[in-house]
Amino acid sequence: MSIPYVRDIEIEYGRCDQVSPLIRRVTANNPGPFTFKGTGTYIVGRGEVAVIDPGPDDPVHLQAILQAVAGETVTHILITHHHSDHSPLAGALKAATGATIYGCAVAGHEEEDGGVKMEAGHDLSFQPDVSLCGGGQVISGPGWTMEAIATPGHTSNHICFTLREENACFSGDHIMGWSTTVITPPDGDMTDYLASLDDIRGRRFDVLWPTHGPPIRDVDAFIQAYADHRQERLDQILGALKSGPAKIRELVPRLYADVDSRLHPAAARSMLAGMEHLVRKGQLTADTDGPDATYRLA
């Protein structure tokens, strides 16, 4: 089943767009193969507002956010996860506004093996003022109410945020309309990701607001396609190994032939996550841990 990608979005960097009754968005000028058109920073509410994913350490983007909230009070800065296109500007925004930073600190994972990393990298120094690890916390302001949902998988500390008044979910990088989500061990985990995907699907949101790209409005069908795609990738791995044991670097060019070659290193990390998931399920065995292992059917 193909994923019904949602990629149509009009971007003017630094402009504040009213995208729903309670939500505004300002997009940072950091487009790329992992960020699509750039980091979409969301502002929720009026008067006393929350800012979600302030984005990269970019003084121009900081000024755009501050201009968007001029005359208002930023009370909450909410971080979905610690990648460098999401969290680094939180400190400067806090210094400018006095707002409290909410999120979940990462547990000190190193960069991915072999020099492969997310394009934007990791913000390992990220430390929230208030921890949302585990989820369930309710955050509110005048006319808006949000809940943190722990959604590990893309990263171990990923958090999605509901907006109850609009039955909406700010999905960070957990679910994106323009692309599948990269799962990169050791911090990313496919087993956790699939469980988190089921959690979000079960909540029946009317709309998802990813940090990158336009909203997803046909939520159930999109998440089903997302899950089906993951299962298809796992089935491809199992099918490829029917012809004999193989290493990830031998399988990626075959199984990701339809993916931009610039993303093949990330695809290899995602395949490793899939391999680890299948080993846990007892469907594969490996002669060692990590990306250089030889995998075979159990």
Side-chain angles (χ1 to χ4, degrees):
M1 179 179 181
S2 61
I3 298 173
Y5 287 120
V6 184
R7 293 171 171 150
D8 186 15
I9 184 170
E10 180 188 346
I11 293 295
E12 181 179 324
Y13 296 117
R15 184 181 67 193
C16 182
D17 295 318
Q18 188 80 43
V19 294
S20 85
L22 286 173
I23 303 170
R24 289 167 279 170
R25 181 180 58 215
V26 181
T27 302
N29 188 3
N30 63 329
F34 291 97
T35 58
F36 192 42
K37 301 294 186 180
T39 296
T41 297
Y42 292 104
I43 302 165
V44 178
R46 284 287 180 183
E48 296 182 11
V49 305
V51 174
I52 302 172
D53 282 352
D57 186 9
D58 177 0
V60 174
H61 187 52
L62 174 63
Q63 289 306 309
I65 296 170
L66 294 175
Q67 181 176 345
V69 299
E72 300 179 288
T73 301
V74 179
T75 56
H76 300 72
I77 300 169
L78 309 181
I79 305 299
T80 61
H81 63 296
H82 71 290
H83 281 158
S84 294
D85 51 328
H86 292 254
S87 59
L89 201 59
L93 184 60
K94 174 183 176 177
T97 64
T100 301
I101 300 172
Y102 295 75
C104 180
V106 70
H109 289 280
E110 299 294 331
E111 297 283 343
E112 289 85 354
D113 296 338
V116 177
K117 62 180 181 179
M118 296 295 292
E119 181 214 351
H122 298 276
D123 178 15
L124 294 178
S125 65
F126 170 67
Q127 289 288 339
D129 299 316
V130 177
S131 177
L132 301 178
C133 295
Q137 301 86 351
V138 176
I139 302 156
S140 62
W144 56 269
T145 313
M146 304 180 73
E147 179 187 347
I149 307 172
T151 49
H154 174 61
T155 61
S156 61
N157 66 334
H158 197 286
I159 302 286
C160 291
F161 296 97
T162 72
L163 177 58
R164 290 180 180 174
E165 287 78 4
E166 296 188 0
N167 194 31
C169 177
F170 296 95
S171 58
D173 284 357
H174 183 58
I175 303 169
M176 301 184 294
W178 73 281
S179 174
T180 55
T181 298
V182 176
I183 314 297
T184 58
D187 191 41
D189 186 282
M190 185 66 73
T191 304
D192 287 346
Y193 181 78
L194 294 174
S196 298
L197 200 61
D198 282 343
D199 184 4
I200 296 298
R201 176 165 43 185
R203 294 173 185 256
R204 303 296 181 185
F205 292 109
D206 290 333
V207 59
L208 306 179
W209 293 97
T211 300
H212 308 288
I216 300 163
R217 299 191 185 277
D218 192 359
V219 175
D220 190 64
F222 192 90
I223 294 180
Q224 184 62 56
Y226 231 50
D228 289 346
H229 171 79
R230 292 292 178 184
Q231 187 58 53
E232 181 181 340
R233 287 298 191 194
L234 295 172
D235 290 342
Q236 286 175 345
I237 291 170
L238 294 171
L241 291 176
K242 286 181 179 179
S243 60
K247 296 179 181 292
I248 289 173
R249 63 175 175 267
E250 299 164 345
L251 296 177
V252 166
R254 292 164 50 191
L255 300 188
Y256 286 85
D258 60 333
V259 172
D260 186 336
S261 61
R262 294 178 299 169
L263 299 180
H264 279 190
R269 301 302 306 181
S270 190
M271 185 179 289
L272 174 61
M275 296 289 201
E276 291 176 346
H277 175 68
L278 292 170
V279 169
R280 289 189 199 109
K281 291 184 67 179
Q283 293 180 269
L284 295 182
T285 62
D287 60 353
T288 188
D289 295 327
D292 294 323
T294 298
Y295 292 88
R296 53 177 45 83
L297 297 177

